[in-house]
Amino acid sequence: MKIGFIGLGIMGESMCANIVKKHNDTVYCSDHKQSKIDELSALGAVGCKTNTEVAKNADVIISMVPTSDDVRNLYDELMPYIDETKICIDMGTIDPSVSVEVANKVKAKGAQFADCPVVKSKPAAIDGTLGILVGCDEELFPVIKPILSYMGSTIIYMGGNGKGLAMKICQNTLLGQIQNGVNETLLLAKKMGISTENYAAAVECGGAKCFYVELQHEKLENEDWTTAFSLENMNKDLGICLRLSEEQNFKMPGVEYVKTIYDKGMENGLGKEDFRATYKIVRGDYD
């Protein structure tokens, strides 16, 4: 079974690398940056000049591109090469409604489609320990699970098309709200003379124990904004959440507030920094 991978960004390059290392058949890849293709080719992938070249050659087409429009445009480009012999797996985080729209077009050609967004960030992509949330026809899940296992250690079937993405948006939205709570309480603790190290130790031993604090407190203290997951991508996901809440006629005032912080980060040029850079917004650096 030949695999194609389209989109070698921060996450995609490492995800594709793990497939190349673990799969015992050909892996094709493409990206808009030739340097990324060259890096994967050095590992053993077959670099392609176009996305359609990937689609022509691969039995399983995996895409990892940033936005809903990117996914729409990509699959419109690939559609002439999609037939009943193909399985398509999109692993980006986009609007569930757009993913379902694309899934219906793909399935109308006789092919199969799954939305498989990932959780965790760059280190897990490198280690092959991502969490992967799957939305597809139930009978497709056991077929694609071995492929997803090249990239992730926890793979959860969430339901039909769009359900993997719906859960990913809930996951990231919860993370954004946790992050804001950490930003506010950490900054208050520091104003009261409590060190970041003691704050983290105290959180660790109580009911507020939090993976975000464990993972990020040293980077917050060192003001390290090196990007593993960008502020602009989290801002995008919060926007998707608010559209979902509107569709479901369900108010989420906490999310609405956190979104204003991310919007302010975007307005002040922080979009390419890591999403923890919202700390600077809460601290008042841009008032």
Side-chain angles (χ1 to χ4, degrees), residues 174-183 212 262 275-276 278:
L174 177 58
L175 176 57
Q177 291 181 290
I178 290 169
Q179 177 198 54
N180 189 63
V182 170
N183 287 342
Y212 181 81
Y262 274 84
F275 78 121
R276 66 180 165 272
T278 53

Side-chain angles (χ1 to χ4, degrees), residues 72-92:
R72 261 203 197 103
N73 294 337
L74 174 62
Y75 281 92
D76 284 346
E77 178 188 0
L78 302 185
M79 208 57 67
Y81 309 97
I82 291 175
D83 58 27
E84 67 279 358
T85 67
K86 307 290 186 182
I87 297 172
C88 301
I89 302 173
D90 181 54
M91 303 191 74

